[in-house]
Structure formats: structure tokens, C-alpha cells
Amino acid sequence: MNVSDLLSYCMDKPGAEQSVHSDWKATQIKVDDVLFALVHEVDGRPAVALKATPALADLLREAHTDVRPSDHLNKSHWSTVLLDGTLKDSQIYYLVDASLQKALDTRGAH
């Protein structure tokens, strides 16, 4: 998967807004000001940080070397997925959708 395809998929979500986090050199994708995807580079490789339940995050990290705890974010919930790694596009899209759902759930809790 490439960054352009990922950003298009994220921005197709209702209410999605894109901004740049200059300190982290990352593109933030939010819904109602709640982050659900953070697109950036890790060691020169394209990546996206996505939110999941701690159990799913642990499973992903154990099963895939291309999934690791995210820098700058709560490591029990946020995982960084390398886009040029072994995960299939369909798996990445699923994780984006799951992250968006977590953001919507968080929004509803306020």
C-alpha cells in the first residue's frame, strides 16, 4: 500500500479532516477532532499509527514484525503499521476502520 491510497481511504470517511503535526512530521486524520490515523515515516519507510484495543494491538505485534508500538502515542492502544511491509491492503483497511470506530466511540464518551 502507498501513502496516497491510504490517505484517500481515510479522507473518504464521513467527517474526516487532515492536518499536519509539524513536530512529528506527520499527517493527522481526525473525525470531530479525535485522531484515528497518523501517517508518517519510520526509518524512511511509510507508516501509519492506528488505534486498537490493547488485546488486538498485542496480537498484531506478535503476529507481524511490521506492526510495532507507536512513538509519541499510548503504546497499549496505538500501533504503527509499516505500509510497505507484509500486511495486505485489506488488513490495513480493516485496521483503519477499527481505529475510526475507536475514535467514534471515544467521541461519544465525552
Side-chain angles (χ1 to χ4, degrees):
M1 172 172 296
N2 64 46
V3 169
S4 179
D5 289 344
L6 176 73
L7 288 174
S8 293
Y9 187 77
C10 290
M11 292 306 297
D12 281 344
K13 303 300 179 187
E17 296 180 357
Q18 181 177 325
S19 62
V20 174
H21 192 298
S22 57
D23 290 345
W24 298 345
K25 296 180 181 153
T27 300
Q28 301 175 113
I29 312 293
K30 297 179 178 182
V31 170
D32 290 341
D33 212 34
V34 179
L35 182 69
F36 75 93
L38 184 72
V39 182
H40 59 291
E41 287 190 356
V42 174
D43 300 327
R45 297 174 66 188
V48 61
L50 299 167
K51 191 172 188 179
T53 64
L56 178 56
D58 286 343
L59 282 172
L60 290 167
R61 294 172 196 164
E62 288 173 15
H64 302 281
T65 58
D66 294 325
V67 180
R68 53 186 74 163
S70 294
D71 292 337
H72 310 298
L73 299 167
N74 182 321
K75 290 171 183 26
S76 63
H77 290 274
W78 288 88
S79 294
T80 295
V81 178
L82 298 173
L83 299 180
D84 62 353
T86 59
L87 265 70
K88 296 177 185 167
D89 290 1
S90 60
Q91 292 172 304
I92 296 171
Y93 290 141
Y94 171 83
L95 294 173
V96 167
D97 292 343
S99 187
L100 174 60
Q101 189 59 53
K102 293 292 288 176
L104 295 174
D105 292 347
T106 300
R107 177 193 65 185
H110 291 187

